[in-house]
Amino acid sequence: MIQDALLLKPKVKYWLDNLLGKYEVIAPVHTGRMIEYVPISRGEDALLEFGTPPLSPKAYFFPKSDLLFTTQSHRGAVTVQPAPVEARERIIFGIRPFDARALLIMDKQLIRQNAVDIYYQARRQRTTLVGIGAHQPDVLDFSVSAGSSPFDEEGLDMLFYDMDKEFYVKVLTEKGKRILDDNFAPAEEHHRKLAREMKQKAEEKAKYELNLERWKRYTPLEIFQLPYWSEVYLPCIECGACTFVCPTTVYSRTVDVEDEGGGGRRVRVWDTPYLERFAVTTEGYNPR
């Protein structure tokens, strides 16, 4: 199911205001330090024109700190209470298409047949993704080389094309269709033609070459053993930033916290395998 529509830019805030009564709305906002995806309380707070934020909205699906369960000890008996699964519907407005595509890669890791992360799955199911295409790709945009695009539709429920005074909107799923309202108007053929041209130009501008072909002749184990790694790691200072900004990684560790009064909780927190002590056991053994 694909249909399209038009939304004048002055009407975006009214549309978002209507959604705020039913959904939690996350949108790009200039927080003073940088552009971040944060919950908004007014439609006018959402940025409509912005560069690609340094952090994707991954943390709204796989939080930096995620409560898994709590425990309570009383007279030698321990009870375990799983953390509640979030239920409120959410919209992420303004996500870049390649960041939405990245979530499909996370799905393969966290929603597998015999290993489903129920918290991640619930957040994915209750979230509607509204993308804004990157018609002016960053100089380091490698989305095309990685099989995506500044106007990639995969993983999105809606995709906005910025046409100066208005947005041309492609409605890609039933989720997207549900959030249409009277603020939208019918699109015409010349809008569709312009959208195709915008996508083509953006993909031509995304010229950062990322040659992945050379790696395909190796198995994963062979890649791990290549002498290449004996040099490329040298500038690394083990800050972990590469993992934390990556929109597809799901590395984590669990931390058990004891509270006063016999209670406790288990929390999953982000981690990175590029730190020397990642996965080290309590006995000091490092399986890596």
Side-chain angles (χ1 to χ4, degrees):
M1 185 280 299
I2 296 178
Q3 64 184 61
D4 52 18
L6 290 180
L7 182 61
L8 294 174
K9 284 189 176 180
K11 289 190 174 184
V12 173
K13 62 182 179 181
Y14 301 120
W15 171 59
L16 292 176
D17 283 337
N18 291 339
L19 294 174
L20 280 163
K22 303 175 183 178
Y23 298 84
E24 177 187 27
V25 179
I26 312 295
V29 172
H30 204 295
T31 60
R33 297 182 304 136
M34 59 184 181
I35 299 170
E36 299 181 81
Y37 291 99
V38 299
I40 60 172
S41 56
R42 304 177 304 170
E44 62 184 317
D45 293 337
L47 293 175
L48 303 183
E49 300 176 13
F50 55 94
T52 299
L55 299 177
S56 78
K58 178 180 78 170
Y60 289 102
F61 302 94
F62 190 76
K64 298 175 183 178
S65 177
D66 203 9
L67 177 66
L68 301 179
F69 60 79
T70 58
T71 61
Q72 186 64 47
S73 177
H74 181 66
R75 295 182 179 179
V78 178
T79 58
V80 177
Q81 181 64 43
V85 177
E86 299 176 50
R88 189 182 177 193
E89 294 288 317
R90 170 189 286 162
I91 291 173
I92 296 185
F93 171 77
I95 186 173
R96 290 307 192 197
F98 32 74
D99 284 336
R101 177 71 171 269
L103 289 170
L104 299 180
I105 298 174
M106 290 185 64
D107 290 350
K108 294 178 180 179
Q109 303 173 77
L110 298 175
I111 310 178
R112 293 177 290 173
Q113 185 175 1
N114 298 319
V116 176
D117 185 319
I118 60 172
Y119 301 104
Y120 174 84
Q121 184 182 51
R123 293 177 184 120
R124 286 286 277 139
Q125 290 173 344
R126 73 186 184 91
T127 303
T128 301
L129 296 178
V130 179
I132 298 181
H135 65 283
Q136 293 291 345
D138 295 338
V139 293
L140 296 181
D141 187 328
F142 60 86
S143 58
V144 174
S145 296
S148 184
S149 161
F151 284 90
D152 197 338
E153 297 177 3
E154 287 197 52
L156 287 172
D157 300 295
M158 271 185 169
L159 177 56
F160 280 43
Y161 288 73
D162 189 340
M163 296 187 175
D164 191 21
K165 296 181 181 179
E166 60 195 1
F167 285 110
Y168 168 70
V169 182
K170 293 189 79 170
V171 184
L172 303 167
T173 68
E174 287 295 328
K175 274 186 180 180
K177 189 175 180 179
R178 284 201 298 268
I179 58 176
L180 291 171
D181 64 12
D182 293 339
N183 287 296
F184 291 81
E188 298 179 3
E189 185 55 37
H190 71 274
H191 296 113
R192 300 181 188 104
K193 182 176 183 246
L194 181 56
R196 290 192 293 268
E197 293 172 353
M198 289 178 66
K199 179 180 180 180
Q200 182 179 354
K201 289 179 180 178
E203 290 177 348
E204 290 173 353
K205 289 179 181 177
K207 290 293 187 181
Y208 188 88
E209 292 296 333
L210 186 67
N211 183 8
L212 301 177
E213 292 301 317
R214 60 177 175 164
W215 300 102
K216 293 182 179 179
R217 63 178 181 265
Y218 300 108
T219 67
L221 181 59
E222 288 173 336
I223 291 176
F224 187 76
Q225 296 173 334
L226 287 174
Y228 170 81
W229 305 112
S230 64
E231 297 181 7
V232 73
Y233 85 96
L234 292 173
C236 176
I237 60 172
E238 293 189 20
C239 68
C242 56
T243 301
F244 299 142
V245 302
C246 177
T248 64
T249 53
V250 293
Y251 294 109
S252 65
R253 59 189 170 93
T254 56
V255 178
D256 291 326
V257 181
E258 293 185 6
D259 301 325
E260 294 182 6
R265 61 190 185 275
R266 175 165 290 181
V267 182
R268 176 175 61 190
V269 297
W270 283 7
D271 203 352
T272 170
Y274 302 112
L275 300 181
E276 183 179 359
R277 294 191 59 78
F278 176 78
V280 173
T281 67
T282 53
E283 295 82 12
Y285 173 68
N286 189 339
R288 294 175 58 81

